[in-house]
Amino acid sequence: MRAGMWHEGMGPGFSIDKKRLGVLGLGNIGARVAAIGKAFGMECVAWSQNLTADKAVAARVRLVSKEELFAASDVVTIHLVLGERTRGLVRKEDLARMKPGAVLVNTSRGPIIVEPDLLEVLKAGKIHAALDVYEREPLPADHPLRK
């Protein structure tokens, strides 16, 4: 954006119609995000450690494995509470499974993603990330995620 190329990252447009939205954490917020994705024509899948098939059906999403969620989604969005089981839940192997050009969205909690692993994948240019939260907040001016 600073270089005047804000539209270069994903091309001149990024249509979400007929894309797959992977929701990591299908609680109240995750279920609402899935409903919004469906309203925009997205196929929605979900995974979390406690997600049941009944809850997935009630939210009108398909329950998949964590591996499938990362490998087959065009957009992965995180909606989990930070705790012992979720800290560092998203690691290099998960990020490496993502499709080229896929987008990782985290508006939940920064430490759910292993930050050095995310930086490595982002530097390789394989995926994009939309982050509203970080392991350290506020994010220092010289932090690599700002680049």
Side-chain angles (χ1 to χ4, degrees):
M1 195 155 104
R2 285 185 201 115
M5 300 183 344
W6 59 269
H7 61 290
E8 301 294 325
M10 288 193 252
F14 180 73
S15 175
I16 59 174
D17 183 41
K18 302 198 183 354
K19 301 287 190 199
R20 180 178 286 177
L21 176 65
V23 181
L24 193 64
L26 195 68
N28 290 332
I29 295 172
R32 287 181 173 193
V33 170
I36 292 167
K38 291 183 85 51
F40 279 99
M42 299 183 87
E43 172 195 356
C44 296
V45 298
W47 177 86
S48 70
Q49 294 163 328
N50 297 324
L51 182 58
T52 65
D54 289 342
K55 179 148 177 141
V57 167
R60 299 181 14 188
V61 304
R62 189 165 58 88
L63 174 61
V64 296
S65 68
K66 182 182 175 197
E67 293 78 14
E68 182 180 342
L69 184 134
F70 278 92
S73 297
D74 299 290
V75 177
V76 173
T77 182
I78 302 171
H79 302 283
L80 295 167
V81 174
L82 181 62
E84 287 184 29
R85 294 185 330 155
T86 59
R87 183 179 299 275
L89 181 71
V90 177
R91 300 187 160 108
K92 184 186 305 187
E93 57 269 19
D94 302 309
L95 301 169
R97 284 186 183 98
M98 293 180 75
K99 297 176 179 183
V103 180
L104 177 70
V105 179
N106 189 10
T107 60
S108 188
R109 297 289 182 260
I112 291 171
I113 303 171
V114 176
E115 197 169 272
D117 293 354
L118 176 61
L119 282 165
E120 184 178 323
V121 174
L122 289 174
K123 284 179 186 174
K126 180 182 175 192
I127 67 168
H128 305 283
L131 308 172
D132 187 45
V133 291
Y134 309 95
E135 190 164 326
R136 182 174 168 204
E137 293 180 350
L139 194 63
D142 62 344
H143 195 282
L145 281 174
R146 290 190 180 258
K147 294 180 174 56

